[in-house]
Amino acid sequence: MPLATVRRAARETVSGLPREFWWLWTSTLVNRLGAFVATFMALYLTLDRGYSAAYAGLVASLHGLGGVVSSLGAGVMTDRLGRRPTLLVAQASTAAAVALLGFMHHPVAIAAVAFLVGMASNASRPAVQAMMADIVRPEDRVRAFSLNYWAINLGFAVSSMAAGFIAEYSYLAGFLIEAGMTAVCAVVVFLKLPESRPVALDTGAEKVPDVGLGTVLRDRRFMGVVTLSFLVALVFQQGSVGLPVAMGSAGFTPADYGMAIAVNGVLIVVLQIPVTRFIQHRDPKRLLVVSSLLAGYGFGLTAFAGSVGVFALTVCVWTLAEIVNAPTQTGLVVQLSPVHGRGRYQGMYTLSWAVASLVAPLMSGLVIDHYGAEWLWGLCALVGTVAGLGYALLMRSLPDEEAVSAETVSAEAVSAKALAAEAVSTEALSAENVPAPQAPLAPRPEVSAG
């Protein structure tokens, strides 16, 4: 491909997005560049602290449980308090909790603080996604979510490599560096990101309906998407929970697993942007059907893997599904979310992934122990097929993207009309309270009586 074509493609990929998006993107990248603790936590507990693998698994589960607990609460905060305050609270709390975790020695204290870290770190996700939906035009959202997902994976790839070197020097240094970089993210949000939450004012304009968690739960169409998201997430989670166990049981070394799973991060960094350029104007519902099937059968093919090379090929298949699914799924959630309920809707969507992160280790462990790894990969293929069929059925009731975008623009216009009405009302009130000039040729300065 000519260099000029590559440059033009890169320019088109990043052009047209608002400055606020890039500050939010930068915050995401810095946060992921400092995500050391998740990478070496199990090694820290088993090798440095001498705890059992079972205890390390318990701590990981409590960390995931914290994310489940905070998902809905953070969504409510995002809508009530605003995107910016929620981000600041989440990132400041994460920085403090991660630093505190590095100084904990008692097993109960470690488990308790790990739970707090899971709560705090997961609380920022609904706010980030809602703010991104607020500040980016509807036609650019898939591209924006894709760029954000690319930043997450680029940061994770770099931090994963750096975590090993930092752990050799000092595990405590890893905790403190992550806390410091998370604090930097909070500073970026405080200095560079204004509040983006749409404002609804009761000024005689159209009234925006209230959105509560009950509204989300009663939205059958959206809850169908959340359920399918959970199924797909359950499959993707097997890359980090089922695959290493299955490869270990088959006699492969941790280094072999590392080589196979590294393909996932490399492909996402290399292909995320060009694939997004290819899919961004295509029907998201069909893309979700295809990505669900690719994910299921990509993991299903693992049953036939007998070498590191074949394992890597299966990783290529489900990674392509991940590249397509992640921005498309997030964009669909935004399309189905009312403007003034984006935080709650994103919180429910985040909950589907948090619950999957809890269920997936239990599922993989039970299936492998009782039936063998081949049954796990067959189950993944079945779950992917069910998810694909589910999306195909939902396609009949989901509105077209253009229709949903029109509804979103209309709702945002209500907020704009309300603000305009408030401004006109304020000007009129000021005019009523301004004394009339006594002489046309020498008017007195206007003085507000209020």
Side-chain angles (χ1 to χ4, degrees):
M1 183 181 293
L3 182 60
T5 302
V6 175
R7 289 178 176 174
R8 183 174 66 254
R11 185 169 57 251
E12 291 174 355
T13 299
V14 302
S15 64
L17 296 171
R19 181 178 58 183
E20 292 81 5
F21 165 80
W22 290 112
W23 283 116
L24 189 59
W25 182 89
T26 300
S27 174
T28 298
L29 179 61
V30 172
N31 186 282
R32 299 308 299 173
L33 285 171
F36 304 125
V37 173
T39 302
F40 63 58
M41 190 64 185
L43 294 175
Y44 166 71
L45 293 175
T46 55
L47 298 181
D48 189 66
R49 292 296 177 192
Y51 294 114
S52 66
Y55 174 75
L58 172 64
V59 171
S61 296
L62 287 172
H63 181 278
L65 180 61
V68 171
V69 171
S70 68
S71 296
L72 296 180
V76 174
M77 285 179 60
T78 297
D79 284 337
R80 287 189 176 180
L81 300 181
R83 284 64 158 141
R84 186 170 178 264
T86 303
L87 273 175
L88 289 173
V89 170
Q91 291 176 340
S93 301
T94 302
V98 169
L100 181 63
L101 184 58
F103 293 98
M104 295 294 101
H105 299 288
H106 193 279
V108 175
I110 292 174
V113 178
F115 175 78
L116 295 178
V117 171
M119 285 188 62
S121 60
N122 199 64
S124 62
R125 293 180 184 178
V128 168
Q129 293 165 348
M131 178 175 278
M132 204 167 291
D134 295 338
I135 63 181
V136 175
R137 295 178 301 178
E139 61 268 25
D140 292 331
R141 282 174 184 157
V142 170
R143 180 161 57 102
F145 286 128
S146 178
L147 286 168
N148 192 64
Y149 191 68
W150 182 80
I152 290 172
N153 283 277
L154 176 62
F156 181 75
V158 174
S159 66
S160 297
M161 291 186 291
F165 295 102
I166 293 174
E168 289 185 2
Y169 170 73
S170 168
Y171 283 104
L172 178 60
F175 286 101
L176 296 180
I177 293 173
E178 177 168 343
M181 295 188 75
T182 306
V184 169
C185 295
V187 172
V188 170
V189 171
F190 180 77
L191 295 178
K192 296 296 184 179
L193 286 175
E195 177 55 56
S196 66
R197 179 181 56 166
V199 178
L201 299 173
D202 188 9
T203 58
E206 274 185 82
K207 184 173 177 57
V208 178
D210 294 331
V211 178
L213 286 177
T215 308
V216 182
L217 293 172
R218 289 190 296 271
D219 190 338
R220 295 182 180 179
R221 183 176 61 191
F222 177 76
M223 291 306 297
V225 172
V226 169
T227 302
L228 296 175
S229 170
F230 166 76
L231 294 178
V232 173
L234 202 61
V235 174
F236 281 130
Q237 288 289 336
Q238 299 307 321
S240 58
V241 295
L243 185 59
V245 174
M247 290 185 69
S249 301
F252 292 94
T253 66
D256 293 331
Y257 168 72
M259 292 176 61
I261 200 63
V263 174
N264 174 254
V266 171
L267 285 181
I268 289 176
V269 171
V270 173
L271 296 181
Q272 183 72 63
I273 293 177
V275 169
T276 299
R277 284 175 53 81
F278 177 74
I279 68 172
Q280 63 180 341
H281 297 303
R282 300 179 185 274
D283 185 352
K285 292 159 285 187
R286 289 184 173 84
L287 292 175
L288 290 172
V289 171
V290 172
S291 63
S292 299
L293 295 175
L294 274 178
Y297 289 105
F299 277 99
L301 290 173
T302 310
F304 304 99
S307 66
V308 176
V310 179
F311 275 113
L313 287 175
T314 65
V315 172
C316 290
V317 176
W318 58 260
T319 296
L320 181 59
E322 185 180 358
I323 290 172
V324 174
N325 179 272
T328 308
Q329 180 83 277
T330 309
L332 181 61
V333 171
V334 172
Q335 289 180 32
L336 297 178
S337 306
V339 173
H340 297 281
R342 281 175 179 159
R344 290 175 173 85
Y345 273 70
Q346 290 290 351
M348 185 64 71
Y349 169 62
T350 301
L351 180 66
S352 69
W353 281 82
V355 173
S357 70
L358 282 181
V359 175
L362 299 175
M363 182 185 83
S364 61
L366 289 173
V367 173
I368 291 175
D369 287 344
H370 290 84
Y371 304 103
E374 291 79 8
W375 280 85
L376 175 64
W377 308 130
L379 184 59
C380 285
L382 177 61
V383 172
T385 302
V386 171
L389 291 174
Y391 280 118
L393 292 175
L394 275 179
M395 285 172 55
R396 301 177 180 179
S397 60
L398 288 175
D400 294 333
E401 184 176 0
E402 291 79 5
V404 178
S405 297
E407 291 177 6
T408 301
V409 170
S410 176
E412 290 173 346
V414 171
S415 292
K417 287 166 62 179
L419 289 171
E422 175 70 13
V424 170
S425 176
T426 302
E427 291 176 3
L429 180 62
S430 298
E432 290 176 1
N433 289 311
V434 174
Q438 299 298 315
L441 296 179
R444 293 186 300 174
E446 295 185 355
V447 180
S448 175

